[in-house]
Amino acid sequence: EIRYHIHNRMNLSSQQAAPILVLHGGPGVPSDYLHPLTKVVPYRSIIFFDQLGCGRSMDGSPPDIDAYSIESSLDDLEALIAKIGLRKFHIYGQSFGGILAYEYIRRVAERECECECESNENENENGPKCLSLILSSTPCNVKQVEGVANDLIANLLQEDPDEGSIMERFRMNHQCRTEEKPQPLIDAYDHASEQGIWRGTQSIQDWEATSVSATATELSSSAKRMRMPSAMIMRGEYDFVTEDCILGWKDAFNHNFVRIKELEGCSHHGLLEKGHFYGEIVDSYFAEYD
C-alpha cells in the first residue's frame, strides 16, 4: 500500500495557491529529506508519499524486482491522485522524482491525444490537471549522469586517494554541501529500499527522456489542451547533475516553456543547503501558474 500524508490539508482545494504533489528520488529513497518543504513553502497544501518498496510504503511490498518499474510507479501515482481527489495541482520532482514527474505528464499528454470522441474530451477536461512542474536536479539521461558522477569521484581521488572517505567527500562537494549530513537525509537513507530490489540509478540505468509521440504534437482543435505543463529545471551550481545533464530537457517537452535555473552555492540537495532561498524559488514559480 502506498502511504501518504498531506501538509495543510485544509488548503487542498485552494483557488489561490494550488497544492504541490511531491515525488521523491532514488529510486527507493523515501520522502523524509523533502519534508523541509513545509517550512519554506508553509501555506500551500503539500502531498508527500513514499513510493512502493521504501519508507512508509515498505511494509508488504513485493520482494521481487520484477514487480517494480517506472510504469508501475506511474500506475501507483495515478491511483494516489484519484484517491486524494486532486483536480488542479503542481508537481515537484527531485532527482528520480523528476523522471517520474516527466513520465507522468508525458503519459497524460499521449493519452489525451488518443481521445477523439467528444465525450472523452469532456471527461479529460474535468479530470486531474497538472498546472506546472519543477524538475529539481533531474538528469535527462541516466547513463550520462552516472558517467559524470564517476568522473567527479575520480577527480576527488586524484586530489586525495583515500577511498575510505571518498563518498563523504563526494557528498560534501556535489550532493549536499553541509558540514554534517542533514538529519532528513539520514532519515531517508535509513528507510530506503533494499539494495538490488528497486534502489538507485542501477535500476533505471537505460532511461533517457523521450518526447511525446508524434501524434501528441500534431496541431488539432485540442492542441492547447494536450500541451504538457510549463516546467522549470533546477540544479545546483556544484550538482553532479551538471548543466550538460539537463540540456536535453528543452527538447523533451512539446513546447518552449521550459525554464532553466541554476542555484548558486548549492549542489544536489539545495533544499537542505539553502532552504528559504530554495523555497522562495519553488513557491514563486508555482505562483505564476496557480
Side-chain angles (χ1 to χ4, degrees), residues 72-226:
S72 64
S73 296
L74 293 178
D75 293 341
D76 291 340
L77 176 58
E78 292 202 270
L80 179 65
I81 290 171
K83 182 176 182 179
I84 296 173
L86 287 176
R87 286 295 175 261
K88 293 184 178 181
F89 56 95
H90 304 284
I91 295 181
Y92 166 92
Q94 198 276 336
S95 199
F96 168 70
I99 291 175
L100 198 59
Y102 175 76
E103 290 294 342
Y104 168 73
I105 64 167
R106 187 168 77 100
R107 174 190 276 195
V108 170
E110 293 183 344
R111 178 191 297 145
E112 287 179 344
C113 292
E114 296 172 359
C115 298
E116 298 178 354
C117 69
E118 187 69 23
S119 60
N120 281 342
E121 286 185 2
N122 289 337
E123 180 181 339
N124 281 327
E125 286 174 354
N126 295 327
K129 181 180 180 181
C130 175
L131 301 173
S132 70
L133 76 157
I134 289 177
L135 309 184
S136 182
S137 296
T138 299
C140 57
N141 183 308
V142 171
K143 282 186 177 178
Q144 179 187 22
V145 77
E146 284 184 329
V148 169
N150 288 335
D151 288 344
L152 291 171
I153 289 172
N155 291 340
L156 290 171
L157 285 172
Q158 285 186 340
E159 296 172 5
D160 181 347
D162 179 18
E163 294 187 358
S165 64
I166 185 59
M167 295 316 297
E168 177 63 5
R169 286 187 283 136
F170 180 79
R171 176 193 73 78
M172 294 184 68
N173 280 275
H174 303 294
Q175 186 185 25
C176 188
R177 293 169 65 86
T178 56
E179 187 173 344
E180 301 291 336
K181 184 183 291 187
Q183 191 60 46
L185 201 57
I186 294 173
D187 292 342
Y189 278 97
D190 282 348
H191 299 94
S193 59
E194 295 182 22
Q195 293 285 357
I197 300 295
W198 181 241
R199 171 83 178 269
T201 55
Q202 64 268 28
S203 302
I204 54 168
Q205 60 186 189
D206 293 327
W207 184 88
E208 61 179 303
T210 55
S211 59
V212 294
S213 66
T215 305
T217 59
E218 291 175 356
L219 293 176
S220 68
S221 61
S222 57
K224 184 176 180 180
R225 179 174 57 82
M226 293 183 297

